Amino acid sequence: MSISRKKHSGAIRPVHKRSMRERLFWLFAVLRVSLVLAAVISAGWAVHQGYRYLDAPVEVIVIKGDYSNVTQDELAQWVEPLLQGGMISLNLERLRQGMETHAWVSTATVSRQWPDSIVIEVEEEIPVARWGKTGFLNSSGESLQIADNSSLQRLPLLSGPQGWEKPVMKHYREIAGELLKAGLRVESVTMSERGSWRLTLDSAPTLVLGRGDLMIKIERFVVVWERELKKQADRVAQLDLRYDNGMAVRWHKPEQA
């Protein structure tokens, strides 16, 4: 029994051998890429280390400005919780906005002073009038709340419904300007929830104005005051100007009414 073996014929693929030049080319290419990657990694590490060094904690807070109603210690305590970050990572804009939320800070500018200091320059709010028992109004008529406004007794006291601060301030300025011509100073202005107005004057009677055109009533009062009532001011307790064409006088002593 014989076994026959068949030879299978097929194409033989030639083996391509790279030349020494090609091998060197690819070797140098790999080396170049490796060197570039190493340089990038080294640079990244150096930047990271440099950032960590420059982003040092803030050690000194310098507060500048002319202020009399708030102390430097109070401002320093206010800014302390706002220092979230180092010398680089600290958000100066957020810090500025946080400083301006303080009732006595009108505007603030913040800058870095290397290597470890933050400089804050503040401009203090100028109180124009007291608002209720714990607030004051600035020159824009904005109501700002403080713990106690008793230190502002020299200022007039304004009060009214919440949200009416600016209209009350506007009327106060108009009325105070007109009364100042007659030598009278406004001590307080009150607007009721129903829109009725009442004034207290320095060394002069209380004025009940009610509603309507306040300036017409004030002008009428000034005329009568100058002609008739100024010479007996110590006897007048209150003037009711809620009438269209006149006013009612309440004297200190009932028998003189």
Side-chain angles (χ1 to χ4, degrees), residues 189-253:
V189 176
T190 302
M191 177 189 179
S192 70
E193 293 286 343
R194 301 182 61 183
S196 181
W197 294 79
R198 186 185 191 93
L199 306 180
T200 300
L201 306 179
D202 179 28
S203 303
T206 298
L207 305 184
V208 180
L209 300 176
R211 291 176 287 184
D213 194 326
L214 302 181
M215 293 311 298
I216 290 179
K217 298 177 181 181
I218 291 295
E219 291 169 2
R220 185 192 312 150
F221 159 74
V222 170
V223 171
V224 176
W225 178 260
E226 292 287 353
R227 292 181 181 178
E228 301 292 338
L229 298 177
K230 185 177 181 178
K231 54 190 174 184
Q232 47 185 337
D234 56 341
R235 297 176 54 207
V236 182
Q238 178 178 290
L239 289 171
D240 190 340
L241 291 96
R242 291 176 292 180
Y243 303 92
D244 292 333
N245 299 308
M247 63 187 70
V249 181
R250 180 165 65 84
W251 308 92
H252 282 297
K253 295 180 179 180

Side-chain angles (χ1 to χ4, degrees), residues 2 35 53 91 118 122 145 150 157 167 183 194 202 206 219 224:
S2 63
L35 289 174
Y53 173 76
N91 189 323
I118 293 295
V122 301
Q145 293 299 312
S150 59
L157 175 62
R194 301 182 61 183
D202 179 28
T206 298
E219 291 169 2
V224 176

Side-chain angles (χ1 to χ4, degrees), residues 62-89:
V62 180
I63 301 177
K64 299 180 179 179
D66 295 327
Y67 39 85
S68 58
N69 293 294
V70 64
T71 66
Q72 192 173 59
D73 289 341
E74 290 173 338
L75 291 176
Q77 292 176 5
W78 185 267
V79 75
E80 189 69 30
L82 302 174
L83 296 176
Q84 299 178 1
M87 287 294 294
I88 293 181
S89 58

